[in-house]
Structure formats: C-alpha cells, structure tokens
Amino acid sequence: MLIMGTVVTWYNSILVASLWEWDGVPHVRYRDLARSIFGRHGYWAVTLFQQVASIGNNITVQIAAGSSMKAIYMTYHNDNRLKLQEFIIVFGVFQLALSQLPDIHSLRWVNAICTLSTVGFTATAIGATVYDGRKLNRSTIDYKLHGTKDHKLFGIFSALGTIAFSFGDAMLPEIQSTLRRPVKKNMYKGISAAYAVIIVTYWTVAFVGFWAFGSTVNAYLLNSLTGPRWAIVLTNILAIIQIAGCYQVLA
C-alpha cells in the first residue's frame, strides 16, 4: 500500500506539473487550472475539496505537534497535569506569531531549518526504533492484523489517509510558477528528487517501525518508543520543528 501510494502520488504530481501551462496560460493555483480544464464547476469542486483537505491537514499536524510537546513534558513530569489540548493551544499561538511573516519567501530560512530537522528526525527515529527493537524479545512480535472486519477496514482507510497526507502536494502550481525555464523539465526534476528523499526517509522509518513493534506499532511512531530518553526528546523536538514549517505551508 505504501509503495502504491508513493507511485500514484508521484504520477499525480508529474501529471499536474505537465498541465500547469494548459492552453498556453500558466496557472498559479489548482482551482484556476481546474476551471481552465473543467469550467466553472471544476473550479468550485476543487475549491471545496482544497478547503476540506486543508482543514483536515491542519488539524492533523496540530495534534501531531501537540503530541510531541506532551511527550517531552511527560518525559520529565509524569503527572499528566497538562492535557494534549493545552499543548495544541501553545503550538497554535506559536504558529500565529510565525504567520505574521509577510509572504512565503520570508519562510525560506524556516524551510531550510525544517529540511535539516527532517533529516535529523529520520536518523534519530530510526536509531531509537532499532534500539528498542533489539531490546524486545523478537519471538513475541506479532506482524498479523487482528480485530474484526470493520476494525481492519477502518485501519485500511486510516492508513490511506496517512499516506495521502504524507505525500500530499498542496502547492505544486504555486511552486512551479517560481521556477526558471524550462519550467516543466525543472519541475519534473524537483518532484523526482523530492520523492527520492521521501523514499529514503519515510519508507525507512515505516519499515523499521513495523520491524521493531509489529502490528502493535503506534500510528505516531514516537509514541511507541521507550528509550533512551535523550533520543526520544530529541526526536520529538525535531518533529515539532518539522511540523512548524509544514503548518505554515499547509495553512
């Protein structure tokens, strides 16, 4: 499913990039491209879908950031006094301050830091997961799916949603409009390079997490880790930095 999701979303990105200059007119936004191809109904259909997807993505990243902040807190204070909602509010306030930057070009230093944090997050998460996996009794790890038919079906849709979120390209036309010519060729290279990085990072984390914990692995891998403590804290800090940049782009 992960491989299929990667191939489908990669092809979808290439397809959107090839349609960017439809009828000789560059289209900076998805909905403008949809109107050019499908007319007025296409414009409003894509607009509605984008808003729904944007709200869902923003809620997801806020919960993820809040979960990482709470995990850091719980590492040092196992009293559970502060709830997840409070950490989400703190993250929201920080994002509100960061959103005061005038435009997306002002976020280039934020994006650079987030890129580095992504690499650091991947390396630390893999190391901590392998550490935990080697401590466990491998004979007790179960890789089979358990539960009712409905539970398994819900799990499939949940996994598809996670894959779609991980490989979502919310700003392809906007990014493509900033590239030098030949625009399509450069965009194809950029998309392929981005997916190569995704495969090296996301795939490795997913496969190592499943190897270490089997079917009981938490959907948010960091919640499955048990030690060492410094690695868990560092991984969560890097995750928060990474999510902060993603939120500015998605929102």
Side-chain angles (χ1 to χ4, degrees):
M1 187 179 293
L2 180 62
I3 296 174
M4 182 180 68
T6 304
V7 173
V8 169
T9 54
W10 171 81
Y11 176 74
N12 174 71
S13 299
I14 293 293
L15 186 61
V16 171
S18 66
L19 295 173
W20 175 74
E21 205 167 15
W22 181 263
D23 283 342
V25 180
H27 299 283
V28 180
R29 298 177 298 181
Y30 273 113
R31 51 184 178 269
D32 293 331
L33 177 60
R35 177 167 53 189
S36 177
I37 298 174
F38 301 109
R40 182 167 171 244
H41 295 294
Y43 175 88
W44 288 112
V46 169
T47 299
L48 176 62
F49 178 79
Q50 278 191 308
Q51 295 305 313
V52 173
S54 178
I55 292 172
N57 286 338
N58 291 335
I59 292 174
T60 301
V61 296
Q62 287 186 74
I63 294 174
S67 298
S68 286
M69 295 173 73
K70 183 177 180 180
I72 296 173
Y73 174 82
M74 293 295 291
T75 302
Y76 298 100
H77 305 279
N78 196 20
D79 52 17
N80 205 29
R81 285 194 332 183
L82 296 178
K83 304 301 181 183
L84 176 61
Q85 297 91 322
E86 295 171 276
F87 291 102
I88 292 175
I89 292 173
V90 172
F91 180 75
V93 171
F94 172 71
Q95 288 300 319
L96 181 62
L98 200 60
S99 66
Q100 301 310 306
L101 293 171
D103 52 47
I104 194 170
H105 296 290
S106 304
L107 291 170
R108 57 184 178 274
W109 58 272
V110 176
N111 292 331
I113 294 173
C114 290
T115 301
L116 294 175
S117 71
T118 300
V119 177
F121 166 82
T122 301
T124 310
I126 291 173
T129 303
V130 171
Y131 177 86
D132 275 359
R134 294 182 65 180
K135 286 199 310 178
L136 297 173
N137 183 355
R138 303 309 305 167
S139 62
T140 63
I141 304 300
D142 187 2
Y143 295 100
K144 296 180 181 179
L145 294 178
H146 299 281
T148 63
K149 183 179 179 181
D150 292 340
H151 178 76
K152 292 179 180 179
L153 185 62
F154 179 80
I156 291 173
F157 283 110
S158 178
L160 287 173
T162 302
I163 293 172
F165 171 74
S166 300
F167 295 99
D169 299 300
M171 297 184 64
L172 272 183
E174 290 88 341
I175 295 172
Q176 192 166 351
S177 64
T178 66
L179 300 181
R180 66 176 183 273
R181 293 191 176 276
V183 176
K184 290 184 180 180
K185 184 178 180 180
N186 289 329
M187 194 63 184
Y188 294 158
K189 291 180 179 178
I191 291 172
S192 298
Y195 269 80
V197 173
I198 288 173
I199 289 172
V200 171
T201 55
Y202 285 7
W203 279 27
T204 306
V205 171
F207 292 148
V208 170
F210 187 67
W211 164 80
F213 305 108
S215 57
T216 61
V217 64
N218 195 289
Y220 190 53
L221 177 63
L222 302 189
N223 290 338
S224 294
L225 302 179
T226 59
R229 187 169 72 170
W230 68 266
I232 296 176
V233 172
L234 178 59
T235 306
N236 278 288
I237 291 174
L238 293 172
I240 293 168
I241 296 173
Q242 178 189 9
I243 292 169
C246 293
Y247 186 88
Q248 288 298 310
V249 173
L250 293 172

